Amino acid sequence: MRHFRTVLSTAVAAALGSALAQAAISDDVIKIGVLTDMSGTYSDLAGPGVVAAAEMAIADAGGKVAGKPIVMLKADHQNKADIAANKAREWNDVEKVDAYVDLVTTSTALAVMEIAKNANKVVLVSGAGSSRITNEDCNPVTVHWTYDTYAMAKGTGSAMVKEGGKTWFFLTADYAFGQNLQKDVSAVVEASGGKVLGAVKHPFPASDFSSFILQAQASGAQVIGLANAGADTTNAIKAANEFGIVAGGQKLAGLLVFISDVHSLGLPVAQGLTLTTGFYWDYDDQTRAWSKRFFEKTGKMPTMVQAGVYSSLMHYFKAIEAAGSDDGPTVIKQMKSGPVEDFFSRHGKIRDDGRLVHDMFLAEVKKPSESKAPWDYYKILRVIPGDEAYLPLSESKCPLVRKS
Amino acid sequence: MDFLNIPLPAVLAQLVVGLINGAFYALLSLGLAIIFGLLNIINFAHGAQYMLGAFFAWFGVQYLGIDYWFALLLVPIAVGAIGMLLERFLLSKLYREDHLYGLLLTFGLALIIEGVFVQLYGVSGKPYAVPEALRGALNLGFMFLPKYRAWVIVASVVVCLGAWLVIERTKLGAYLRAGTENPRLLQAFGVNVPMMITLTYGFGVALAAFAGVLAAPIFQVSPKMGSDLIIVVFAVVVIGGMGSILGSILTGLGLGLVEGLTKVVWPEASSTVIFVIMAIVLLVRPAGLFGRER
């Protein structure tokens, strides 16, 4: 009988103890799950570089937050929503992951956001681009860090119309992201007084773009908007170069171009391209210092997605430290409470809809003669203030936004 | 003058562009057909070998100072030699087994080669410049055709016809065809059939590598370039008839044209149209357009 009492009291004590721990750091560990494309189309702009950025963030936090160790899990979602969802469910049920990180490709992000919402876990989206993530599909546990299709459209679209590119023709990747991007850019172009002459939806992925380029050429549009990403964009730019699009007076607008794309194309082909980016390594001393460390680790300069992952994790760790808890809604509330200022985010703040609004850059790819060093690729034409770049809250369809 | 509401010059331009893709399909499916004809192996590594061709050309420029024209000659020999080693030490063990084993082996090899290249070079690929002599464009009246694209058509048609002539019109080709029909009898006549098989596989692989070098200046030299293309090429081979030499060349060019037209009329369907044709051909003529029932 005495034995039974001991067991009982131990059990009660243990239950109490864990209940107390729940309020602070669950399972005495901060677990982050990096879900990204490790070997597919987007693995150069996200992938192993994202893992490296996350490792840097953990190391810079000293491997610990609020006295508890940080553990990172990583997995390849192969850009497939079902794989991402299965992995996230496994991580949630078995591994008790506290935050899901990166999620390149919109469909994977949307799938994981749903799971995390039900489990009250945090999602830090960096790679995925659709503006839906913080608009009609927004949820209280998701923060969208680096960029979105609206900001890309706003930056590049309005700049090109202002420079006289009044008529547009789109090459659009035939899936959610491409169509979303085309829609966002068309709205911006028309609002700035331009006109959309037509579009061709190409299969995703496509390898030969000469046919689509010829159609764009025949349209006579002043600007050819590339509403696609990754290898589709690079192949389209190559074909455009070969068929003399730019030489013929038409302009190319890369609506989602990463520095990894420019690197793989080389400046002779990519020069003159106008683009919008959330981060450029050679902007100031802070960006250079961080990027140099990244370069030493990976041998490449970071894309905006990779830099964004580091920045989002550091902000997440600080919020846990300040809140003394890793409970999803509590941390998100903490994250949204203050400004986000670091090498990546300028004048940054996280809005009610989960959008990190920070300054974006309008850039032009340099001519080979202007490039002084390896990776010296962009001329920053203009800093676009965050409030101008991102969808105004007054137009948001996100139910979390308090309309006054 | 219009065709399906599209101005005729635009249609002509699309046909020319389609022919260029057809030229690649023809080169690749020819290699596959030759290999299948003699070895009865469905060479799933063909896409990876095409990719190796492009990468070897890039290595040549990057590290050895070998220009495009030498690469066009040397790379097929180098990749073909690798192919021959592969045949000698791996594929040759499988001839007595079902087709499926050869398919699985080559498929596995393709995944390994592709994986290694992704690991080493990333997926975005490397740029390869168009050779000096072929820069610029020709004015055809209805379009500006980049000189390099014109060269692709010429080179692949010449190589395809050359291969066809060798197989159909020379003594060596006669041995090859005999080996396809009845390898044992041929061996009884004193022909070294295993050696012939090795050389044939090497030749098929060399054709893939040749296509890879041709493709390098047009597409990004990237580890995924082969797997993007190979499924379409298999469909071409099936439509043309497995093992039919002339069939694979003609179907390759023809399907390039069909695909080109689809890209204007209904672009979203352009990646599917070849498979729709494949399904129809399989229903109507299971042996393919130019194939014989076995």
Side-chain angles (χ1 to χ4, degrees):
Chain A
M1 196 61 195
R2 186 184 295 161
H3 178 66
F4 175 73
R5 212 174 290 161
T6 325
V7 172
L8 192 69
S9 56
T10 320
V12 170
L16 262 176
S18 76
L20 282 174
Q22 200 80 45
I25 305 295
S26 57
D27 319 307
D28 284 337
V29 62
I30 313 285
K31 260 195 192 170
I32 59 166
V34 176
L35 256 178
T36 187
D37 174 11
M38 291 298 283
S39 57
T41 324
Y42 301 141
S43 58
D44 276 355
L45 66 93
V50 156
V51 174
E55 284 168 354
M56 283 170 73
I58 295 170
D60 290 354
K64 277 184 179 164
V65 184
K68 307 291 181 206
I70 308 167
V71 172
M72 180 181 74
L73 303 176
K74 58 184 180 196
D76 185 357
H77 63 39
Q78 299 170 35
N79 300 323
K80 294 192 176 95
D82 55 332
I83 296 181
N86 284 339
K87 200 73 207 173
R89 252 182 231 116
E90 180 197 319
W91 278 356
N92 184 58
D93 299 346
V94 183
E95 301 282 353
K96 312 281 181 229
V97 161
D98 297 303
Y100 300 89
V101 182
D102 188 27
L103 298 159
V104 70
T105 313
T106 299
S107 51
T108 65
L110 293 174
V112 173
M113 280 164 65
E114 194 58 33
I115 293 164
K117 185 175 87 177
N118 296 331
N120 274 331
K121 297 295 155 71
V122 173
V123 187
L124 306 171
V125 179
S126 184
S130 172
S131 51
R132 280 170 58 185
I133 292 168
T134 53
N135 200 7
E136 51 266 52
D137 291 311
C138 75
N139 75 27
V141 293
T142 302
V143 177
H144 197 184
W145 207 263
T146 305
Y147 74 102
D148 65 22
T149 47
Y150 185 91
M152 295 288 123
K154 194 72 196 270
T156 312
S158 58
M160 300 213 56
V161 176
K162 216 174 275 171
E163 278 170 33
K166 296 281 179 207
T167 51
W168 284 61
F169 188 92
F170 290 98
L171 301 191
T172 305
D174 191 17
Y175 71 111
F177 156 77
Q179 291 159 7
N180 206 218
L181 189 52
Q182 185 193 328
K183 195 185 89 192
D184 285 349
V185 181
S186 301
V188 169
V189 166
E190 276 156 13
S192 334
K195 201 170 159 233
V196 177
L197 298 182
V200 52
K201 285 191 192 127
H202 65 75
F204 166 73
S207 55
D208 179 55
F209 277 81
S210 44
S211 164
F212 307 124
I213 287 292
L214 283 178
Q215 295 180 46
Q217 197 169 29
S219 76
Q222 289 162 317
V223 180
I224 298 169
L226 305 175
N228 47 24
D232 284 342
T233 306
T234 50
N235 275 326
I237 293 172
K238 273 198 106 160
N241 188 56
E242 212 187 339
F243 282 87
I245 290 285
V246 177
Q250 286 173 302
K251 279 192 168 168
L252 285 181
L255 298 172
L256 182 53
V257 176
F258 296 92
I259 198 160
S260 51
D261 299 327
V262 173
H263 184 67
S264 88
L265 280 169
L267 291 183
V269 175
Q271 60 177 311
L273 198 65
T274 307
L275 57 95
T276 304
T277 182
F279 175 79
Y280 178 50
W281 72 271
D282 199 13
Y283 179 68
D284 64 11
D285 289 339
Q286 265 187 307
T287 58
R288 277 187 287 272
W290 185 82
S291 305
K292 210 169 148 256
R293 288 174 50 211
F294 183 88
F295 186 85
E296 277 158 14
K297 196 171 159 73
T298 62
K300 294 170 181 177
M301 281 301 175
T303 63
M304 62 170 160
V305 171
Q306 292 155 350
V309 163
Y310 175 93
S311 166
S312 66
L313 276 174
M314 287 312 263
H315 193 67
Y316 172 69
F317 295 152
K318 276 181 208 146
I320 294 179
E321 194 82 57
S325 163
D326 66 351
D327 168 61
T330 315
V331 180
I332 290 282
K333 201 173 150 210
Q334 182 69 37
M335 286 176 82
K336 286 181 179 172
S337 68
V340 184
E341 284 294 339
D342 60 11
F343 75 102
F344 172 87
S345 159
R346 285 175 183 73
H347 309 109
K349 58 179 184 293
I350 304 171
R351 301 191 307 204
D352 289 341
D353 58 356
R355 177 70 254 167
L356 169 70
V357 170
H358 64 112
D359 292 354
M360 302 291 284
F361 303 107
L362 183 71
E364 187 183 288
V365 177
K366 288 185 172 177
K367 293 190 186 75
S369 58
E370 295 167 328
S371 173
K372 303 277 177 270
W375 295 91
D376 178 15
Y377 291 155
Y378 293 171
K379 217 165 22 193
I380 301 293
L381 302 177
R382 189 179 159 232
V383 176
I384 310 165
D387 287 327
E388 185 188 323
Y390 288 99
L391 179 81
L393 281 182
S394 57
E395 291 171 31
S396 175
K397 292 188 203 111
C398 172
L400 299 171
V401 175
R402 285 163 300 198
K403 296 265 163 78
S404 48
Chain B
M1 203 154 113
D2 283 6
F3 174 81
L4 292 173
N5 292 327
I6 300 154
L8 191 64
V11 173
L12 283 176
Q14 293 296 342
L15 286 178
V16 172
V17 167
L19 200 62
I20 298 163
N21 283 328
F24 281 112
Y25 296 157
L27 267 179
L28 287 168
S29 59
L30 173 66
L32 276 179
I34 291 174
I35 292 171
F36 183 77
L38 192 67
L39 282 76
N40 266 334
I41 291 272
I42 301 167
N43 185 30
F44 248 91
H46 217 66
Q49 285 150 350
Y50 160 80
M51 178 269 280
L52 278 183
F55 258 102
F56 276 34
W58 182 78
F59 292 151
V61 169
Q62 201 71 7
Y63 303 115
L64 305 170
I66 295 173
D67 74 355
Y68 174 80
W69 301 104
F70 278 106
L72 213 49
L73 190 72
L74 295 178
V75 169
I77 295 174
V79 180
I82 296 175
M84 284 193 265
L85 290 175
L86 196 75
E87 194 278 337
R88 194 76 303 204
F89 294 105
L90 293 173
L91 280 175
S92 59
K93 318 279 187 230
L94 294 176
Y95 293 140
R96 285 156 207 254
E97 310 292 338
D98 194 76
H99 287 333
L100 214 53
Y101 289 87
L103 185 150
L104 287 176
L105 175 74
T106 49
F107 186 52
L109 284 171
L111 290 180
I112 293 170
I113 297 172
E114 202 183 287
V116 167
F117 273 77
V118 167
Q119 204 62 37
L120 292 177
Y121 299 101
V123 286
S124 307
K126 305 289 176 191
Y128 191 98
V130 173
E132 203 73 53
L134 295 173
R135 287 186 195 156
L138 305 167
N139 189 353
L140 299 184
F142 56 88
M143 73 180 295
F144 282 92
L145 180 65
K147 283 186 196 161
Y148 188 81
R149 301 258 176 173
W151 156 248
V152 166
I153 302 182
V154 173
S156 70
V157 168
V158 167
V159 169
C160 283
L161 284 181
W164 178 71
L165 278 176
V166 167
I167 292 166
E168 298 291 332
R169 296 280 181 269
T170 64
K171 195 161 179 187
L172 189 69
Y175 284 152
L176 218 92
R177 281 175 290 137
T180 310
E181 290 289 326
N182 193 337
R184 275 198 190 168
L185 193 63
L186 188 67
Q187 196 144 22
F189 284 124
V191 176
N192 185 349
V193 173
M195 173 59 100
M196 205 173 80
I197 289 180
T198 306
L199 286 174
T200 308
Y201 187 77
F203 180 65
V205 172
L207 280 176
F210 180 79
V213 182
L214 273 186
I218 297 189
F219 307 117
Q220 284 291 89
V221 178
S222 108
K224 302 265 176 200
M225 64 192 290
S227 51
D228 290 348
L229 202 60
I230 196 69
I231 303 296
V232 177
V233 174
F234 269 105
V236 171
V237 175
V238 170
I239 295 169
M242 291 298 282
S244 162
I245 305 296
L246 192 60
S248 63
I249 300 173
L250 293 178
T251 340
L253 292 171
L255 287 175
L257 293 178
V258 171
E259 196 189 46
L261 277 184
T262 318
K263 280 179 177 165
V264 200
V265 183
W266 190 15
E268 293 95 318
S270 59
S271 58
T272 329
V273 64
I274 286 183
F275 300 102
V276 174
I277 295 176
M278 180 179 88
I280 295 170
V281 167
L282 283 178
L283 283 174
V284 181
R285 277 185 67 100
L289 293 177
F290 297 85
R292 282 170 300 157
E293 303 279 355
R294 294 207 177 202

